[in-house]
């Protein structure tokens, strides 16, 4: 007897009943997303970040921080770029985002302006921020990682949602990991991403409680503490005073941040506890002794970060200006 080669009706029925439904609005990200619609995308971003970084060397750290703050609230949708208007107080104006640097917003605006001339209404601000972050990280010595593209820009930006979604300098490992965990990150990935503090700076108000008064932290390296006290002595009058996160190689993306933690040179309390905590210390020690391991883990974690909460066509748009929704009444 000859067996039929046609589809098994029972298998088809099983697939129809059991297979999970796939949303039509899931954003499908890929590295060549703009290959046909905006072929100069990579070149435009690369040239803009190169010029900006040479003009303002803190741009890389600022943009990396901006990207992180964007992705951890409502996903990587450029909601952090939205400006406050008479209808809405936006994310960037919450107290926790006050110190997000203007240079990071500026580089996105520069790239968007250039792209609108080359391929109008094609490239999302979310993709610009993701790509610029990668290019800037590699420019200052960090690892290369793939950036998959195709995100849409979010339709909401609410300041009151920031608190509880962005880590704070005085939180415990347990609390910080809780924020990372709900976005799909392991403890090891949390420590790897914390290595972003190998570049950039923090304002004195974010660590002054470790320096002054009865609750001053005795575990800070004494010479480091003395230098910070001198630097920050007028921080209550001038809130722009800041210190480098990595006092040894502040402009280079390397594993010095982790080496510093072992020496009592962690700037923020949330940095120091990574070495103090028994669960996170092994990862700190690994990255301090093996820069290659840190770079590999950081690159994988950044690729993962870039996929958090991405929006599809029905959940987002391609903004004409990165600081405004296309519907200005939103």
């Amino acid at each position: 007897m000859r067996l039929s080669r046609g589809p098994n009706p029972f298998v088809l029925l099983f697939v129809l009943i059991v297979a999970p439904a796939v949303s039509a609005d899931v954003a499908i990200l890929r590295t060549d997303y703009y290959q046909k619609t905006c072929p100069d995308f990579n070149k435009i971003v690369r040239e803009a970040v190169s010029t900006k970084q040479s003009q303002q060397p803190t741009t890389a750290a600022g943009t990396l921080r901006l990207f992180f703050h964007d992705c951890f609230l409502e996903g990587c949708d450029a909601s952090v770029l939205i400006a406050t208007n008479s209808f809405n107080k936006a994310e960037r104006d919450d107290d926790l985002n006050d110190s997000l640097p203007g240079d990071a917003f500026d580089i996105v605006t520069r790239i968007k302006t250039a792209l609108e001339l080359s391929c109008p209404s094609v490239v999302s601000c979310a993709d610009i921020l993701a790509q610029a972050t990668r290019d800037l990280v590699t420019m200052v010595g960090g690892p290369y990682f793939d950036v998959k593209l195709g995100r849409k820009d979010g339709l909401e930006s609410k300041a009151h949602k920031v608190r509880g979604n962005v880590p704070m300098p005085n939180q415990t490992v347990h609390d910080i990991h809780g924020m990372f965990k709900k976005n799909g990150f392991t403890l090891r990935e949390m420590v790897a991403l914390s290595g972003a503090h190998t570049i950039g700076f923090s304002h004195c108000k974010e660590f002054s409680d470790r320096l002054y008064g009865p609750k001053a932290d005795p575990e800070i390296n004494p010479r480091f503490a003395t230098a910070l006290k001198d630097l920050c002595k007028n921080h209550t009058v001038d809130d722009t005073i800041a210190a480098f996160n990595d006092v040894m190689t502040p402009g280079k993306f390397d594993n010095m941040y982790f080496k510093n933690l072992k020496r009592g040179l962690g700037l923020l309390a949330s940095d120091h506890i990574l070495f103090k905590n028994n669960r996170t210390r092994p990862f700190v020690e690994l990255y301090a002794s093996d820069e290659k391991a840190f770079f590999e883990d950081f690159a994988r974690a950044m690729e993962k970060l870039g996929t958090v909460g991405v929006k599809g066509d029905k959940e987002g748009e391609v903004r004409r200006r990165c600081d405004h929704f296309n519907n200005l009444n939103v």
Side-chain angles (χ1 to χ4, degrees), residues 70-208:
D70 183 45
C71 294
F72 257 51
L73 177 58
E74 308 292 346
C76 306
D77 63 354
S79 56
V80 75
L81 303 177
I82 291 294
T84 292
N85 59 28
S86 57
F87 302 98
N88 177 60
K89 184 178 179 181
E91 290 173 28
R92 65 193 284 181
D93 287 319
D94 181 79
D95 290 346
L96 292 182
N97 282 336
D98 269 352
S99 60
L100 290 176
D103 287 308
F105 292 96
D106 179 63
I107 185 56
V108 175
T109 300
R110 290 189 186 195
I111 295 169
K112 180 64 171 175
T113 300
L115 287 170
E116 286 300 298
L117 293 173
S118 179
C119 41
S121 301
V122 171
V123 181
S124 69
C125 301
D127 278 347
I128 291 172
L129 179 55
Q131 184 89 353
T133 299
R134 192 276 312 280
D135 286 0
L136 283 161
V137 166
T138 58
M139 196 173 298
V140 293
Y144 179 91
F145 51 91
D146 286 333
V147 177
K148 294 182 179 180
L149 305 163
R151 302 164 189 78
K152 293 299 183 288
D153 299 322
L155 302 174
E156 179 181 274
S157 180
K158 303 289 186 183
H160 69 84
K161 291 187 175 184
V162 174
R163 197 166 296 270
N165 287 291
V166 176
M168 298 171 64
N170 59 352
Q171 287 181 309
T172 65
V173 167
H174 178 269
D175 290 339
I176 296 173
H177 183 227
M179 294 183 195
F180 277 82
K181 189 174 181 179
K182 74 178 182 181
N183 285 299
F185 292 96
T186 65
L187 192 66
R188 179 170 179 151
E189 289 169 331
M190 182 193 84
V191 178
L193 287 173
S194 297
H197 281 181
T198 189
I199 54 175
F201 58 85
S202 296
H203 292 92
C204 291
K205 65 180 180 180
E206 296 177 283
F207 56 87
S208 60

